[in-house]
């Protein structure tokens, strides 16, 4: 029996080709088989990198993933090195790859990775939200009822959440999040990360949904704060009032202070407003 080859999962640029690693270029040149989500995009990438693929190129996308996996596993079991790339980012992360990885692991075929750009980590890093604990939820269901049920199940999730979303569904997704978790839940919409027209919009979910109503273009990653208070501002009445007082003393208007405290504590803005104004004139 032949010594098995190796399955290599390679991260590809999510925007700028300069983000491609030297190891990615070497693996593309040396692999026996390159399985690509889109062979045309692979061709553009290798041309920009100045790399010639030395092995056989096969397509491997959502529509043929199940059918192609057994053949690729045979290549691996025959001792060949198979490189898997998707259009952008890391294979198997909301992209084709999981079936082949699972099959290789079950067959005791070595699996390794060429680390690369990740929209998930890039969005987390620039979001301004807590990143010490987070979870990735991929794409929300397209149907309204299924999406609402998914969001309801995440209502108590305390970790920062990361989602992928199609541009034409971004407004609906943000509005559904606001309905499920509150208008004032802090979030960030990261659009076209690392590309020429990169844009990061931060704010409460309701404000972001209103912004998205004008239309969103490009690749979208949404980061949303988890449930419960964020570090720094407790959610009890006295702490919320004190936090507003501190910000007003530092020069903020009362409205600005209320907005920031509500966002930081993870509570609706109206709760902080009512607490502050229940004390009477100051």
């Amino acid at each position: 029996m032949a010594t098995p080859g190796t399955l290599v999962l390679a991260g590809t640029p999510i925007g700028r080709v300069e983000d491609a690693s030297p190891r990615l270029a070497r693996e593309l040149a040396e692999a026996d088989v390159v399985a690509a989500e889109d062979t045309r995009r692979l061709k553009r990438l290798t041309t920009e990198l100045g790399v010639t693929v030395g092995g056989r190129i096969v397509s491997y996308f959502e529509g043929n993933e199940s059918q192609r996996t057994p053949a690729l596993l045979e290549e691996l079991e025959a001792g060949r090195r198979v490189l898997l790339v998707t259009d952008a980012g890391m294979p198997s992360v909301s992209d084709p790859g999981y079936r082949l990885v699972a099959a290789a692991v079950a067959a005791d075929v070595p699996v390794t990775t060429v680390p690369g750009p990740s929209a998930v980590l890039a969005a987390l890093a620039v979001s301004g939200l807590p990143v010490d604990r987070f979870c990735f939820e991929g794409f929300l269901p397209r149907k309204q009822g299924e999406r609402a049920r998914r969001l309801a199940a995440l209502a108590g999730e305390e970790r920062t959440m990361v989602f992928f979303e199609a541009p034409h569904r971004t407004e609906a997704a943000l509005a559904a999040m606001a309905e499920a978790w509150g208008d004032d839940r802090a979030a960030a919409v990261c659009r076209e990360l690392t590309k020429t027209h990169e844009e990061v919009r931060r704010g409460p979910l309701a404000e972001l949904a209103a912004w998205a109503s004008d239309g969103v273009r490009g690749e979208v990653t949404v980061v949303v704060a988890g449930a419960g208070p964020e570090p720094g501002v407790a959610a009890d009445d006295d702490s919320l009032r004190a936090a507003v007082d501190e910000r007003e003393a530092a020069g903020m208007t009362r409205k600005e202070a209320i907005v920031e405290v509500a966002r930081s504590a993870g509570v609706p803005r109206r709760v902080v407003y009512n607490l502050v104004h229940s004390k009477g004139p100051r």
Side-chain angles (χ1 to χ4, degrees):
M1 184 176 179
T3 301
T6 300
L7 173 61
V8 183
L9 309 175
T12 55
I14 60 175
R16 299 178 185 272
V17 72
E18 304 99 290
D19 293 335
S21 69
R23 186 178 164 205
L24 171 62
R26 178 171 60 81
E27 291 283 357
L28 285 166
E30 297 179 358
D32 298 304
V33 180
V34 177
E37 184 178 11
D38 186 328
T39 57
R40 294 167 298 182
R41 294 189 67 162
L42 172 65
K43 175 63 175 177
R44 288 198 295 271
L45 175 63
T46 55
T47 298
E48 291 177 329
L49 292 175
V51 173
T52 299
V53 176
R56 184 166 60 92
I57 298 175
V58 299
S59 64
Y60 189 78
F61 57 94
E62 184 178 1
N64 71 2
E65 190 175 359
S66 297
Q67 293 75 23
R68 281 281 162 85
T69 293
L72 289 173
L73 183 60
E74 288 180 5
E75 298 278 9
L76 289 164
E77 291 178 325
R80 297 183 179 87
R81 192 171 186 86
V82 175
L83 178 69
L84 178 61
V85 294
T86 55
D87 292 347
M90 182 60 63
S92 79
V93 180
S94 287
D95 272 333
Y98 169 75
R99 289 184 177 86
L100 184 55
V101 173
V105 170
D108 290 326
V109 171
V111 180
T112 189
T113 183
V114 177
S118 164
V120 175
L121 296 181
L124 274 167
V126 302
S127 69
L129 297 171
V131 297
D132 53 331
R133 297 176 66 237
F134 67 90
C135 61
F136 174 59
E137 289 292 326
F139 286 92
L140 288 171
R142 297 183 182 184
K143 295 182 178 179
Q144 183 177 354
E146 294 177 4
R147 181 175 59 210
R149 286 190 288 273
R150 174 77 63 81
L151 294 175
L154 291 169
E157 176 57 66
E158 297 180 351
R159 295 170 294 180
T160 297
M161 297 170 283
V162 185
F163 302 84
F164 287 160
E165 194 49 87
H168 63 281
R169 292 196 300 269
T170 300
E171 178 192 1
L174 292 169
M177 290 176 182
E179 182 176 354
W181 303 331
D183 289 349
D184 293 318
R185 179 78 71 93
V189 178
C190 306
R191 187 181 69 82
E192 294 289 88
L193 284 169
T194 79
K195 299 177 184 177
T196 302
H197 300 292
E198 175 179 295
E199 181 180 19
V200 180
R201 303 282 301 202
R202 305 175 183 88
L205 283 169
E207 290 184 12
L208 291 174
W211 162 78
S213 65
D214 290 333
V216 178
R217 295 183 179 181
E219 302 290 332
V220 175
T221 305
V222 179
V223 186
V224 185
E230 298 173 11
V233 179
D236 62 276
D237 293 358
D238 290 340
S239 296
L240 292 172
R241 290 191 186 102
V244 172
D245 288 341
E246 290 172 4
R247 284 158 176 76
E248 284 193 82
M252 283 188 177
T253 66
R254 183 174 294 185
K255 180 179 179 181
E256 291 171 340
I258 289 171
V259 170
E260 181 171 302
V261 169
R263 188 178 304 169
S264 179
V267 300
R269 194 183 312 172
R270 62 183 176 276
V271 170
V272 182
Y273 178 91
N274 290 339
L275 283 171
V276 170
H277 288 85
S278 66
K279 295 176 63 178
R282 291 185 289 176

